[in-house]
Structures are given as C-alpha cells and as structure tokens.
Amino acid sequence: MIRPELEALIQGALDDALTPEEQARLARFISESPEARERVAQLEQLASIIESLDAARAPIGLVDNVLAEVSHRPLSPRTWSTFPRGVAVNKKILFGLAAAAAIVLAVITYYSNPPATVGTEATIGAAQRAQTPQIAPKDVQVGDASAQEMLQTDTFDAIMKDAQLRKLLQNDEMRKQLQRAEFRVALDDENIRLALRTPNLAQRLEDAAFKKALSDPAAAKKFDDSNMRWLAANRAMAEALRQDQFRSLLARDNNAAALAGAAMKAALHDDHFDAALRGNLSARLARGVQAR
Amino acid sequence: MRRVYLLSDPDDLALVRQTLAGQSEAFGSLVSRYQKVMYTVALRMLGNPADAQDATQDAFVKAYQNLASFNSSHRFYSWMYRILVNECLNVGRDRRPEDGLDGDEEADGTPFDTALASERREQIQLALLRLTPEYRMVVVLRHFAGQSYGEIAEALSIPEKTVKSRLFSARQRLGELLLGWKESTKEEDL
C-alpha cells in the first residue's frame, strides 16, 4: 500500500497541480522507490484510458436550437438560490450582511490598489475636471431588492461560511468605510478584477517594498537608469503612457520613483497586472486619489 | 491535460454584456464557444446522446434566462458547468445507466477496428456510469474539460479538498473496474 502523502503527490502530478517543491519531492520519491514508479505508471495508464473517450461532436443545430428557444424568453433575474441550508440567522443581521456583501469585493480592490502619494491631488484634480464621473455615490445605495438578490449570490454564500469575514463586516466603522463610491468604481474595471484574481499580484501589492516605493519620498533615491530604461522598453508601460491621467500621475516625482522601482518591474511581469496597466488602471487610481 | 476548450474570460464577459444589452447573437457566440465541451461533459455524465443533448440545450437556455444574475467576478464557464451539472443530475435521476450508451465518436480504420474501439469505449463509459454522479462529475470535469481542482471546486461548490478526495477515490474505483487493480480496503459509497 502506497503512503497517502506519496499518493497525493503522484495524483497531483497527474493533474498538473504540484508546486516546484512538491515536484522535487516527488522526483526524489520516484528515483528511490520502485513502488512509486509503478504507481505513476498505473495512474498514467488509467488517465490515458479514460481520455481515450475523446471529445464528442456537438449536436448539429445546437446553437440554432438554443437561440430559437431563448428568442421568446426574457432575460430574468436569478430564480434559484445558493443560500446554504440549515443556517439560522436573525433576519435583521442577515439583511445587514447582504448589504455589506454587495461591496465586499470592493474592499479587496481598494486595499490592494497601491496607495497614492500625498501631493498628487492638484494634478489629478486638473485631469479629472474634464471627465464625467461614471458612478455617483447614490449609485451604491443598496435597497431591499438588492439585499434580497445578494442573499442568493455566491459572494454572500462565501461570507456566510467565513466567520472572520462576517465579524469584519459587522464592524460599523468598516461598513462605513466600505460604503464609498470609489470601491464600486474600481470594481467596475474588468482588468482590475482579473488582476486581483492572481495570487501573485495580490502578494506583490501587499509587498512592503512595493508600498514603500509608492509612498516614501526616500524611494526616489532608488531611481536608477537601468530600471528606467527597462520601463521605457516595456510595451504595457508605453501604452499606459498614452493615457493623460497616467502621465499626470507619473509627473509627480514620487510616483516616477515608484514606477522605476524593482517591485513595479516585477509586477510588470504579471500578465494580469500588465492587462490592468494597459487598461484604465491609472484612471481608477487617479479617481481614488482624488476621492481621498 | 486538456485545456483546449477554454478561452479568455474577458472575451466571455464582453459577450455576456452584449447579450444583456440585447444582442442575442452574442449569446450564440457563447453557445458556439462552449457547446462542444458542455456536450462532452453531459455525454460522459449521462452516457446517452439524446439525454446529453437535452441537458446541454436546457443548460444554455437556463444560463440565458439567468444571465442577469451571473456574477462577473466568477468565470463564465464555471458558472455554465454548475448549471449543466444540475441539468445532468435532473436527467440522471430519471434514468438507469444501462438505458443507452453513446455511439457518437468518430471512428477510423477497418470495421473490425471500429467494433473493437467501440466496445472499448463502451466499457469505459460503463465504468464511469458505475460511479455515483458526485464522483463521476469530478472525473468528467477533470479529464474531459481539463478543469483544475480550484475550477472544479468553484463549479460544484465544494472545497478543493473534497475535489481531490473524490477524484482520487474515483480513479481507484475506475482502476479496479478497467484495469483490475486490487480493490481498495477503504469502504466508500462511490
């Protein structure tokens, strides 16, 4: 009988789910154990047999049939519920949580965005005057209907299963902070949402050196020619530079220093961050700066 | 592992938005994009082309009707898989596995080769159908849709740990059925 740890490693390898460290550990096991080698061969053979049932051809006319079916059906609100059964919660608390849930993702966005430096308000303000805000504070009000819908969402489901998050959302100050338009505005950006799904990016944005580079004037000393040359050659940076607001941000010394820092250079290696940068991340950051 | 079916989220989200804005042809693009993998998943779950077609079509229609409630922070295909899983479970409740097996794959070679291949496929499909739907779905999403543990967990609303546990147990059972592996001493209802 193979050890559970080894079995998990072998199955994980079959599913492309191992970290480099786990891969190294498995390689060691395989080189030392005939039993492990046999199990690898067994599972590979099984996967190959299962997958010999190849992909089926989609039925002819499926697309047309679906479109014919939906042509006389209206798009409607969700009708099924994912609310966990068997959870007894006071109705008042429930609705409070539902309202908070509507903006919980925004918290992550807000606190993951790099903090802007003091002194950028005037520059950003000038750029902002030419713009019409996409969402006003009144847009983030969550009425009863919204609360009802939130009760049926996966986000709410996740909150109900997370005691720590529930506690956090019941904190008055936290909820007050959450109910700000900038949260929702930031969330409106698809690229930012995508970027936030990347664990690496979140990790980088949480990186103390990165934050310091964006906020500490002393970081200007780190400004060096090699980084600037590298940034100038970066395609995403070149595209971002075409945006007025990004240029405005960059015009401030502290931001330029931060952008030239090693942490930003590392972040630019991330595909999702790259996408966010090429999208309107700078505009979102600018709005956040102005609001603060 | 197969990942060939999955396209980028931004494309899906753009199509979802266009559909919600009243452009039904955008939904046609989504159906066109995912019909093959959705049908394959349904076929492997149900083992019967007619049922698989019904389940796939109904899943797309339900997705359309509920598109307004799609949470764009999730992946569109995970949401679709979840709807499809429910459709397959509904169909599966009314049928026994032996009611009909698929004969939907392309075949090459001589009639003898074709017959052998067909028999082999039938054995594999029957083995899949001998798993309970919960275990079968994990195997199907992993091996026929190329979903990661995390994506399967999202689609089925179960923890990743459960995904792994079900997948490992299901593989053991399939190994016993298809390759004559020694039966596991662990008693599980799968």
Side-chain angles (χ1 to χ4, degrees), chain A residues 80, chain B residues 57-67 83 87 90:
Chain A
W80 68 86
Chain B
Q57 186 167 323
D58 289 350
F60 278 121
V61 170
K62 283 193 177 160
Y64 176 85
Q65 287 183 285
N66 294 284
L67 204 57
I83 297 171
E87 285 306 308
N90 288 339

Side-chain angles (χ1 to χ4, degrees), chain A residues 201-224:
Chain A
L201 177 66
Q203 204 175 345
R204 281 173 195 153
L205 291 174
E206 282 303 310
D207 182 77
F210 184 88
K211 284 184 172 173
K212 191 179 175 193
L214 284 167
S215 58
D216 183 1
K221 290 176 186 169
K222 292 180 184 171
F223 192 95
D224 70 72

